[in-house]
Amino acid sequence: MSNSSIHTGHRQRLKQRFLTQGLDQFTDVQALELLLFYAIPQKDTNPIAHELLNRFGSLSRVLEAGVEELKQVPGIGEHGTVLLKLITELSRFYQVDCAQRVQVLGDLNDCGAYLAPYLYGRPNETVFLLCLDAKCKVLCCRAVGEGSINAAAVSVRKIVETALQANATTVVLAHNHPSGVAVPSEEDIRTTCRIFAALAAVEVHLADHIVVADGEYVSMAQSGIRFDGYRYY
C-alpha cells in the first residue's frame, strides 16, 4: 500500500473519530494534526504537529505564536499559518456573537461577561467602551484605543466623544493585560478616575472598569475601588 493511501485512510479515520466523539479524547498532537489536514493536503501532518508543540511548548502557545514564528516551522507554509492564526480570531468572533445575543445588561456581572469576549486572545492591550442607555440596553461596544489604558494612544476625549455619539447614559470600560494577570495597576485606577471625572462632566456615568487576562476578569467596582476620589471602600 502506498504512503498516500495510508495517509488518506488515517485522515478519514481521524475525521470520523472527531465527528462521532468530539475532541475530548484527542491529544494535543492529534488535534493539531486534524486541523492541519485542511491546510496541508499532501503531507503527513503528524510530524508537523509534533514540531509545533516542541517548538512552542503547548497548544495554546502554538495558537498564540506570531505569523513570522509560525512560518519558520518546516512544512507549515502560508496556508497553515493562516489557519492557525484564524482559530483564535474566529473563537473571539464566536464568543462576541454569543455575548451580543444579550441586549439588556442588568448588573456588573452581566457587563463583565459581555465585554470579556471582545478581549479574548488579543496580543496587544486594547481598550473597549460599552455604552448603555437608561434601561441598561446595549447601544454599542467599541474599541477606543490600543495600548495601556494610561497610554497616550488612549484618548480621554475619544472615550467621551464615543459615549456622547452613542447617547449613552452609562458606560463600562474594559482593557486586557495580554502577558499579565487580571489585576488593575495603580496607574489603571488613576487613569480610570480621570475618565470618570471627564464623563461625569457631560452627565455620563462610568459604572465600572474591568481588566481581562487569561480568560478571567476583575471588576474594579466590585473590588471596592471608587472612581470619585480614588479611595477604597
Side-chain angles (χ1 to χ4, degrees), residues 126-147:
T126 308
V127 183
F128 274 84
L129 185 70
L130 171 64
C131 297
L132 307 170
D133 69 9
K135 296 182 179 180
C136 295
K137 182 178 179 180
V138 176
L139 298 171
C140 67
C141 186
R142 296 177 183 164
V144 291
E146 189 167 345

Side-chain angles (χ1 to χ4, degrees), residues 149-169:
I149 185 67
N150 53 296
V154 179
S155 165
V156 175
R157 178 175 178 176
K158 183 174 182 179
I159 290 171
V160 172
E161 287 178 346
T162 301
L164 290 175
Q165 288 168 1
N167 199 28
T169 301

